[in-house]
Every structure is written in C-alpha cells, then in structure tokens.
Amino acid sequence: MYNAIYGSFTGYSENIIYILTNGGVEYAIEISTLDLEEIFRKSDEEKRNLRILTYLVHREDAMLLYGFLREEERRCFIELLSVNGIGAKQALKVLSSMKLDDFLTALDKSDVKKLSKIPGMGPKTAQKLILQLRNVLILEEKADEAKPSLKGAGEYQDLVDAFVEMGHERKQVREKIERILKENELQLFGKSKSEKENFIFQTLIKGN
C-alpha cells in the first residue's frame, strides 16, 4: 500500500517518529532504535527531506506503519515476520538490538548465544530463526563497499508470495529465483526490475 513516506521529521515518541508530508498529512511510523539514532545524527536539512521505506501491518484492531532507512532492513523485517511466533514488535526488536550485518553474521554462524541476547528472544526462538532464515538472509559483499547487503530473492518478495499462495514451498521458490538470477545474469543485465520480474515469473511457470 505504501512503499515510502517522504517528508519532514517533526518529532518522536519512544520508537515512533512523525513525518509531515508536503500534502499536510503527518504519519506515525514505528522504527528501530538504531534507525532513530541515525535520524538524530542527520543535519536539519536532511531531517526536512527524509524518505522512510515502509511496511504496513494490518490487524483486526489496528493498522500500523513500520519504517526503515534501507531496503535491506525492510526485507529482513519481512522475512522475520515469516517465522512462526515472530510478530512485528519482536522483528523490530531484532533490528533495534544489533546492526543488520551483525544479525546476519550471527545467523550464518548459527550463534544461538548472541541471538538469545535480543530482548524477548530465548534459545528456542533463536534456534528457530537459524533453521528458517540462515539460508534465506545471506550476506553478500558489495563490490564497491565493505558493508554487506542482503542477497537474493528478497527483492522479488511479491513473486515469492504469489507462488507460495499457489502452493509452493517458500524456501524452494527463493532458491529457484536465486538460480534463475545467477544463470541468466548476462541476459538480465541492464533490464528494469519489472522486466526481470516478468522473466523470472515466466521461467518459474515453465519450470513447473
């Protein structure tokens, strides 16, 4: 429903920030502690021109908007929601407790002890995260940066969700998308995201 909210930072309350858009609408957006601290460090000019990526959680009793400064964080948040027993509040605690690269490293190393230090998460939940997300949220070094980013099918979450609704297993769909991207890297080079999505969709359909 909302991809991003663009506007001026007008205040905060705990982990909620307020963004006033040029249209005169002020949004209340729940955000991680680490992202909030980063916003505090921005200049006044940057605070007047914030772009917050968003994810809407629609419950029976409320509609809550969650915000992120980076796409990698939003994709991680969405993947966390796919884990049984992890809700939006707990997913936000994960992103508030450690930097994204530290969290992904802990997953990769199956570091139950480190993950268990996240507020509200015990060893059993940490093990569940590792089992379900270790091969889904993967660190990949960018060529032009030292910092890692999320790899893979997370960029095509809508496609993944569509095939899951058709009865396919989520992990297998992600793995197939990864394979398609890797095997057709040259063919897909320079194409728009919509063109890539269409190619992936057609390839998946043919493969099934």
Side-chain angles (χ1 to χ4, degrees):
M1 185 177 182
Y2 301 105
N3 180 61
I5 302 295
Y6 181 86
S8 177
F9 173 72
T10 58
Y12 74 100
S13 175
E14 295 183 356
N15 280 86
I16 296 177
I17 60 171
Y18 302 102
I19 301 294
L20 179 63
T21 67
N22 292 333
V25 178
E26 187 174 63
Y27 288 89
I29 305 172
E30 297 200 38
I31 198 168
S32 74
T33 301
L34 295 180
D35 274 356
L36 180 58
E37 291 173 352
E38 185 171 337
I39 290 174
F40 286 158
R41 294 193 294 268
K42 292 182 179 295
S43 67
D44 291 341
E45 177 63 26
E46 289 174 323
K47 289 177 182 176
R48 287 192 291 269
N49 296 278
L50 277 180
R51 181 173 183 262
I52 305 296
L53 299 169
T54 57
Y55 184 82
L56 180 66
V57 174
H58 191 182
R59 303 190 325 221
E60 290 184 3
D61 59 341
M63 293 178 66
L64 303 173
L65 204 57
Y66 290 85
F68 315 88
L69 292 180
R70 298 171 185 82
E71 180 60 39
E72 291 86 355
E73 294 168 355
R74 178 166 63 177
R75 290 199 308 230
C76 182
F77 179 85
I78 292 171
E79 294 293 352
L80 283 166
L81 294 182
S82 70
V83 179
N84 186 35
I86 298 291
K89 297 290 185 182
Q90 183 62 44
L92 200 64
K93 285 182 181 179
V94 172
L95 296 176
S96 294
S97 300
M98 62 180 68
K99 293 181 179 179
L100 182 59
D101 54 339
D102 291 335
F103 173 65
L104 298 184
T105 299
L107 281 181
D108 184 60
K109 294 182 177 180
S110 299
D111 194 338
V112 174
K113 184 177 180 180
K114 187 171 184 177
L115 293 173
S116 297
K117 293 180 180 179
I118 297 172
M121 185 177 299
K124 289 185 178 180
T125 305
Q127 291 171 354
K128 189 185 299 183
L129 283 182
I130 292 168
L131 287 172
Q132 187 162 336
L133 299 182
R134 185 171 180 269
N135 294 318
V136 174
L137 298 177
I138 306 171
L139 285 173
E140 180 181 68
E141 294 291 338
K142 293 182 179 179
D144 57 343
E145 297 181 25
K147 293 182 179 181
S149 64
L150 288 184
K151 175 186 177 183
E155 187 177 356
Y156 303 94
Q157 188 62 42
D158 290 343
L159 271 180
V160 174
D161 291 341
F163 276 85
V164 169
E165 290 179 4
M166 292 164 59
H168 300 279
E169 202 275 326
R170 184 176 295 273
K171 183 178 179 180
Q172 291 181 354
V173 175
R174 293 194 187 98
E175 290 175 348
K176 288 179 180 179
I177 291 177
E178 295 290 353
R179 186 168 63 252
I180 291 170
L181 290 170
K182 184 176 181 180
E183 293 176 351
N184 298 276
E185 186 175 359
L186 291 177
Q187 185 175 348
L188 294 173
F189 180 77
K191 293 187 179 297
S192 67
K193 183 179 178 181
S194 61
E195 290 174 324
K196 291 178 181 179
E197 286 180 338
N198 183 60
F199 179 88
I200 294 170
F201 178 80
Q202 296 297 332
T203 305
L204 286 173
I205 289 295
K206 291 177 182 177
N208 292 302

